[in-house]
Amino acid sequence: MKRLSFLMTVFCLVTEVCAGVIPEMKFKRLDTREGLSNSMVNSIIRDSHGYVWLGTGYGLNRYDGYRVRTFFSYDQDTTTLRNNRIDEIQEGHGGRLWLKQGMNYSLYDPVTETVDRTPARWLNQQGIIGSIESIHLDSEKSYWVKTYEDGFYYFDPTKDLVKHFSFGYGPQEFPKEFGVSAYAESKEGMILVSTYGELMCLDGPHGKVVWKEDYVKRALDAYNDYWVTVDKEDNIWVITHSTGTYIFNKHENRWYTTLTEFMRAKGFENVPDNILVWEICYDNKGFLWVATDHLGVLVLDFKTKEWRQFTNVKGDDSSLPDITCKHLYLDQLGRMWVATYKNGVAMCSESMSNFVSLNIGDINTICEDRQGYYWIGRNDGGIIKMDPKTLEPVDTFSKRRLGVTSDIIVGSYAARDGSLWFGTYEGGILKYKDGNWSNLRTTDPGSALVTNNIWGITEDRWGNIWVGVLGGGAVRIDKQTGKQRSFISDNSVLNTVWTNSISTASNGWIILGNSEYFALIHPGNFRVVNGWLAETKGTKAITISSATSHAVMDSRRLIWLCSPAGVAVFDRKNNQTTLLDMKSGLHGSNAVSVTEDTRHTMWVATEHGVSNIIPQQQEDGTWTFIVRSYNDRDGLQPGPFNQRAIYCSRDGHLLVGGQEGLDIISTLSLNENNGKENPVFSGLELFSQLVEVGAEVNGRVILDEALDQQRSIKLKYNENQFTILMASDNGGVNNNTRFAYRLKGFNDMWIKTSNGQADITYMGLPPGSYTLCVRILHDDGTMDEEESELDITILSPWYRSWWAWILYALIIGLLFFGRKRIAQVLKGLGKKEDKPSADAEVSPAEDDQEEEIEEAVMMEEEEGRSEK
């Protein structure tokens, strides 16, 4: 894959251009693979809630940094889009979005997520009479409207101010035939360009026409889609996508008819001919971005007269996705968005300039000399000495030049005495000191090397050199005498001679990564300790691979072991082992190298990504880890990265080598551009199905408003499997912001989301009232103070509701009193059975008493039936 190297090459028609002040621009892409409804993007806007809206050739798209939500037109639903083409998006007063759809406009309400297909009715209520021909919202959210019937209007909703420009041809009137094609704000007022290239400047608050100009109309006299803007020098740009670019230089009071002519007049060199411009936009540094047809994006610095071209590089996902760019948008956070003709959008932010990728070969090892120069060992071309400021080679050393047998450099180390040491494959050890090279091999007299495969080099506290030998354990080279001593299985307790890495631990011991986990050697008394990892709960995967490709001990005395299973972190003090793999947020589980930076955070390279890991010690002494990962979409090479090819320079730059070159990461400024973020409740899923606003679910509406506006939901007892879709108001492409959350009423423990995962899911939540509290989780593992809350109610089933309990009480009461009545009835029946037989003599008084008893019993039975 071709990448921009340290020797800057300009693309297409352009010769070499001095990079100067303009930095290397890297982009993050967003296209149909991430969920866009269409790859042809016409308009981009980031709204006041942090959502990024994209108008495409088919559908309206809302992006929250993690996922895309699409909106379409449905003929049977008049609250949806008028049609599926979105030409322009503008945010109006109150947060509603004005959508230009062909010759018509629609008004989208983000609270109810519905569309008003006749927004002119709202304008009529504000005093703007007639149907909409054209509408524009300025930076103050004031409305500029041309109607078909009643002239042109200016409306300031904050002051309830309406100014009317009547149709006519006088100096202060608005020509009815002036079909507005585009608007541009200037110091003088709002500049309008017509579909024939006429210009007009209006002072809206005072209701005055400032000036009129028809130069472009006289030059072209053609109906077209014109675009107008004003640059920082108050020059007026009138752009057509088919007939060229016209620039009025206010200082010179003259018109330029092409961008090429204008750039050459301003002192730019090597400017290509026939630049077809779509749009221009300034970034926060004052650079002018020019979106072109088939030339990508040109970035101009009018102060230094320097310019650079950025276009599509095949196979490089951090380059522009297309050579034709139609639209530019600078959001509130200073990020430049580029809409392309047929490949979605790309976002460029300053934080991406912290990643530099150099295509200088297959890189195996890096070190840094006393002067700060990088010495880079390649797998296919010897050694490069590089200037860290210019990133250009100062010198190269090949086997032919040095007279050695191997060009494959696999290990390196810069010693304290200024000497440089390099390990080779089948070439032994190379030493560089005071301009002289020497080669140590197995065939040398007194050599303790078992093989010439030197996989790593380090130095102990006394300045003695230690080398890790693949198939030969470790060898110590005495600083004073040069005498060598080997440590192998035959002369020590070392359990394997297959050494893959060697380094000096923070406690002074020499640590070897080998085929049996690791080993420690005391450099003073030469004691050897074989290390191993016991299988514990949650770390069974560690036993899959004992082969350690790289082992280091950090400043906390934690041992980090890279292997195909991930990176195992071992705390000898409390015997805790933690496995970090792709489930923990790494880009793959095959960890190949690890190092500690100047901030004492850790960096782990896997085959296809690099991860920053922040260890955090808990009160009980155990460790947790915050993982933030980067890959080729952040500006790194796609990999694979090589074993042990990682180094942190003294000034905080991380250098990582791979098969496609060298990546340099500015660790100290990596997160400087992260602005304040707030959690956003982006949506609700019920049983993995998105719940839409106003839609009926099981016979009722759950969301009357958007979830982040409503901030409360009620679910039935059998709907207790749900997901809250989280986002932040950052809105950047592939946002990797993490969250911490807890559910009050259920568990007060804070839970942290994993890298790139912003969903919060609950299953089987019992009936009750809860409050979901969410905070932004910073890169250092701390939580932000701002908290977003969502009230959640899980309703009880009908048989556990309050009215059901009342019914149960009534039934129990009836049963209790009914039982008493039945007992009385049974008692009366017993007395009746005890009366004399028919043959016995009965007195008239007893006969009357029996009749009274029978009547009483009958009455009691009737009362019992009535009660029942």
Side-chain angles (χ1 to χ4, degrees), residues 83-304:
N83 58 66
N84 285 315
R85 180 179 176 84
I86 309 296
D87 297 305
E88 185 181 28
I89 307 172
Q90 303 179 82
E91 185 178 19
H93 187 69
R96 295 185 298 178
L97 302 181
W98 290 79
L99 311 176
K100 187 176 188 300
Q101 300 189 263
M103 300 295 293
N104 300 293
Y105 287 86
S106 299
L107 186 58
Y108 173 83
D109 187 344
V111 176
T112 61
E113 296 185 355
T114 58
V115 175
D116 182 358
R117 296 183 177 182
T118 56
R121 292 179 298 185
W122 181 82
L123 291 175
N124 295 162
Q125 296 171 2
Q126 316 308 316
I128 300 173
I129 309 303
S131 52
I132 306 170
E133 180 180 333
S134 175
I135 187 169
H136 177 76
L137 290 105
D138 62 24
S139 57
E140 302 296 327
K141 296 292 188 281
S142 294
Y143 294 73
W144 302 74
V145 185
K146 186 196 175 187
T147 66
Y148 283 105
E149 302 90 353
D150 197 42
F152 192 92
Y153 286 88
Y154 167 82
F155 170 51
D156 183 348
T158 61
K159 300 177 181 177
D160 198 23
L161 174 65
V162 177
K163 292 294 182 179
H164 180 226
F165 298 82
S166 301
F167 281 148
Y169 302 96
Q172 293 298 316
E173 292 181 314
F174 196 98
K176 188 172 185 179
E177 295 80 9
F178 191 104
V180 182
S181 182
Y183 301 77
E185 293 183 52
S186 72
K187 296 177 182 178
E188 298 177 284
M190 183 65 69
I191 297 178
L192 288 64
V193 62
S194 75
T195 51
Y196 278 90
E198 302 160 290
L199 294 173
M200 182 187 306
C201 182
L202 303 180
D203 181 351
H206 297 95
K208 294 181 179 180
V209 177
V210 181
W211 51 258
K212 298 179 181 180
E213 169 64 57
D214 64 351
Y215 175 85
V216 178
K217 179 184 179 183
R218 288 185 283 108
L220 296 177
D221 193 24
Y223 179 89
N224 212 327
D225 287 328
Y226 292 85
W227 188 79
V228 64
T229 191
V230 179
D231 65 23
K232 292 183 180 296
E233 303 298 325
D234 293 329
N235 301 318
I236 301 174
W237 297 57
V238 179
I239 299 171
T240 65
H241 305 146
S242 58
T243 55
T245 301
Y246 290 79
I247 305 169
F248 178 72
N249 188 300
K250 185 175 182 180
H251 178 71
E252 300 174 3
N253 194 31
R254 62 159 292 188
W255 284 89
Y256 291 89
T257 57
T258 66
L259 175 59
T260 300
E261 179 189 15
F262 183 68
M263 289 179 64
R264 289 171 179 170
K266 293 298 179 183
F268 291 90
E269 297 179 354
N270 301 318
V271 181
D273 297 324
N274 304 319
I275 303 174
L276 186 57
V277 180
W278 278 87
E279 281 189 11
I280 68 169
C281 183
Y282 278 96
D283 64 17
N284 283 344
K285 291 186 176 180
F287 298 141
L288 182 67
W289 291 54
V290 182
T292 74
D293 195 305
H294 281 75
L295 290 178
V297 170
L298 309 181
V299 180
L300 283 58
D301 185 352
F302 281 90
K303 293 181 179 180
T304 63

Side-chain angles (χ1 to χ4, degrees), residues 27-40:
F27 301 86
K28 289 186 177 182
R29 300 181 182 182
L30 181 66
D31 53 35
T32 53
R33 291 173 296 180
E34 283 73 40
L36 284 187
S37 61
N38 190 271
S39 292
M40 187 176 69

Side-chain angles (χ1 to χ4, degrees), residues 717-729:
Y717 73 98
N718 56 356
E719 297 173 338
N720 56 356
Q721 180 179 328
F722 61 92
T723 298
I724 305 298
L725 306 178
M726 293 303 304
S728 78
D729 54 6

